Amino acid sequence: MYSEKVMEHFTNPRNVGELGDANGIGEVGNSKCGDIMRIYVKIEDDFISDIRFKTFGCGAAVATSSMATELVKGKSIQEALSITNKAVADALDGLPAEKLHCSVLAEQGIKAAIQDYFDKKGIDPLPIIGCDFRCSSSGE
């Protein structure tokens, strides 16, 4: 059912935990579906210098959180915002159809954390990234 990469990121998740000096925090999901992700980012000079997550959910939710943080760590804000749920799922060698929503949550969590950073800094993201990323989520 799950690829080796999914199992590896579930059993040995990367970047797990809180980030005390985070300057952006995003929380997505809901308790009704059972998956809740909180993504913490530390952004310095428009790059994600550190990122952590805490996820309550299934193995796929933990694995997608772990992989998503790996994909954006060290990247520019613009590069991080371009990561899609498909890229997360592909990096894990795929997910079962019924678990694709976990990769969507991971993408949304990263975007929510970056939006929180923009909000806290009073930054308009439009000049930085050239679009309003909140309305451009891939959805699946």
Side-chain angles (χ1 to χ4, degrees):
M1 180 169 177
Y2 290 120
S3 72
E4 282 185 38
K5 282 189 183 177
V6 171
M7 294 307 296
E8 170 60 24
H9 277 268
F10 170 62
T11 57
N12 298 297
R14 282 68 156 178
N15 307 307
V16 69
E18 292 184 19
L19 187 58
D21 61 347
N23 51 14
I25 301 171
E27 186 171 310
V28 294
N30 64 62
S31 57
K32 289 182 183 179
C33 81
D35 297 318
I36 300 172
M37 294 179 185
R38 180 174 280 177
I39 307 283
Y40 303 82
V41 293
K42 175 70 174 178
I43 298 173
E44 298 175 304
D45 299 322
D46 295 329
F47 283 84
I48 298 178
S49 62
D50 204 357
I51 185 166
R52 304 278 171 85
F53 77 93
K54 288 181 77 176
T55 294
F56 175 81
C58 65
V62 172
T64 57
S65 299
S66 175
M67 180 56 80
T69 62
E70 286 287 283
L71 291 172
V72 302
K73 192 172 190 176
K75 304 283 190 213
S76 70
I77 292 172
Q78 202 160 18
E79 289 171 311
L81 290 172
S82 72
I83 298 294
T84 64
N85 70 295
K86 183 178 179 343
V88 174
D90 287 350
L92 289 167
D93 293 337
L95 289 168
E98 66 274 11
K99 295 298 181 177
L100 282 176
H101 70 278
C102 295
S103 63
V104 172
L105 286 176
E107 175 190 340
Q108 292 172 342
I110 289 168
K111 289 180 177 179
I114 293 171
Q115 181 62 53
D116 184 53
Y117 166 78
F118 286 149
D119 292 346
K120 287 176 178 173
K121 296 286 186 181
I123 298 171
D124 178 6
L126 188 58
I128 295 170
I129 60 173
C131 68
D132 183 354
F133 64 88
R134 291 172 290 185
C135 297
S136 64
S137 180
S138 62
E140 249 190 61

